[in-house]
Amino acid sequence: MICANNFPALESSFFPYETLLMGAGPVPQSPTVRQANTHIASHLGERMDEVVEQLKAMARYAFQTITAWIFGLSGPGSAAAEMAIGNLVHRGSRVLAISSGHFGLRMFEMALRHQATVLLFEFDGKDAFPLDRLHALLEQQDFDVVTLVQGETSSTTLNPKLSSIAALCKKHGALVVVDTVCTLGTTEVLMDKWQLDVVFCGGQKGLSSIPGVSLIAFSPEAWESVVQRKFTPTQWCYTHCWRKSSGITIDITTRHR
Ligand SMILES: *Cc1c(COP(=O)(O)O)cnc(C)c1O
């Protein structure tokens, strides 16, 4: 039997003062964000519907998109990345993972775990992005999905060529998945104008919100490919799934929003 009073307490000096971290995150939150996070509301009912609708409207503003397929997740930015890859990539998918560091490699690794055929396209984030090299590759090989990071935290570099890269990939028929975990709220992210198909971010970086929550948006084209897909995702969490039970079809993602 373990008694509650056996737990070691943290010294009161453990958090002696507010720590200002100057990394990508976690970042300080404004008092209004902290206050909002203390409210408890039922996760069911009209009130929560209003909250969800407001969250979606604000997320559309942040990503600069009018897509209907936008979600708040209870999970960190990495969970949103899993949602992007798990819904679009399967055994045999052809994936191009563009990387200049740790977070680009993460999506490469995720696509591999879904048994896709993945090509890693590495570049040095401190140099100009090799658009010619990408163009030549896309002329030679077809890809279903291209993944890349707008702001690569590990090499502290921003990819200013995102819109040209996305335009090139779209022209060659690939869906473009972009990690904006470090950049949403700190620099421009124009999802619709730049033709990005899936964009995601976490709470505790540029948005200055709480950790453990994230946002993800799918373009209508990307969502169509999710709904029309012929495979059952290997991961259960964060994947859209049609279930037929007693003749009723339930769209689980839409119900849980
Ligand atoms: C921090 C970070 C992530 C991971 O986000 P978590 O919320 O920590 O899971 C992904 N991509 C980039 C570019 C990041 O900076």
Side-chain angles (χ1 to χ4, degrees):
M1 179 80 175
I2 299 174
C3 301
N5 58 11
N6 283 352
F7 295 136
L10 290 177
E11 293 291 322
S12 56
S13 61
F14 191 76
F15 291 115
Y17 44 80
E18 288 273 309
T19 309
L20 176 61
L21 297 176
M22 300 297 280
V27 294
Q29 300 147 16
S30 83
T32 49
V33 170
R34 276 188 222 178
Q35 178 61 28
N37 195 40
T38 61
H39 296 307
I40 307 255
S42 166
H43 62 298
L44 302 172
E46 278 175 28
R47 196 145 169 239
M48 185 48 82
D49 281 352
E50 270 181 51
V51 171
V52 169
E53 285 311 316
Q54 196 209 13
L55 181 88
K56 283 161 63 170
M58 292 193 295
R60 282 191 194 98
Y61 164 72
F63 287 128
Q64 291 292 295
T65 179
I66 56 166
T67 187
W69 306 109
I70 195 151
F71 307 90
L73 301 189
S74 358
S78 308
E82 296 266 19
M83 180 166 178
I85 306 294
N87 277 288
L88 295 174
V89 174
H90 57 94
R91 178 195 291 268
S93 294
R94 297 157 305 175
V95 177
L96 177 66
I98 299 177
S99 169
S100 63
H102 181 79
F103 292 104
L105 285 176
R106 261 201 197 176
M107 286 190 284
F108 168 72
E109 172 75 24
M110 283 181 192
L112 277 183
R113 290 191 189 188
H114 287 281
Q115 303 192 0
T117 305
V118 197
L119 187 68
L120 180 62
F121 183 102
E122 289 192 283
F123 72 103
D124 187 335
K126 295 191 178 71
D127 296 339
F129 182 83
L131 262 182
D132 289 353
R133 182 152 71 88
L134 178 64
H135 187 233
L137 177 64
L138 294 173
E139 289 287 314
Q140 284 165 13
Q141 259 178 273
D142 290 333
F143 296 98
D144 305 303
V145 174
V146 176
T147 65
L148 76 158
V149 181
Q150 186 185 20
E152 178 55 69
T153 314
S154 65
S155 59
T156 63
T157 51
L158 175 77
N159 189 337
K161 288 275 183 253
L162 183 52
S163 65
S164 318
I165 297 169
L168 203 53
C169 296
K170 296 296 291 175
K171 214 173 107 202
H172 287 83
L175 293 173
V176 180
V177 174
V178 186
D179 172 337
T180 66
V181 175
C182 198
T183 44
L184 191 78
T186 64
T187 188
E188 224 171 28
V189 179
L190 306 180
M191 179 178 177
D192 289 359
K193 189 169 175 203
W194 295 347
Q195 308 179 68
L196 312 180
D197 288 294
V198 183
V199 185
F200 59 86
C201 84
Q204 79 284 14
K205 306 238 172 129
L207 290 180
S208 293
S209 183
I210 55 171
V213 294
S214 52
L215 296 171
I216 186 166
F218 290 73
S219 68
E221 188 189 341
W223 193 253
E224 191 58 22
S225 81
V226 171
V227 173
Q228 297 298 334
R229 72 173 166 224
K230 304 279 185 293
F231 67 97
T232 304
T234 47
Q235 121 204 5
W236 183 87
C237 231
Y238 311 118
T239 51
H240 173 276
C241 155
W242 293 97
R243 275 263 169 275
K244 282 208 164 74
S245 60
S246 5
I248 306 166
T249 306
I250 309 168
D251 175 347
I252 294 174
T253 316
T254 311
R255 280 188 48 205
H256 286 203
R257 267 177 300 207

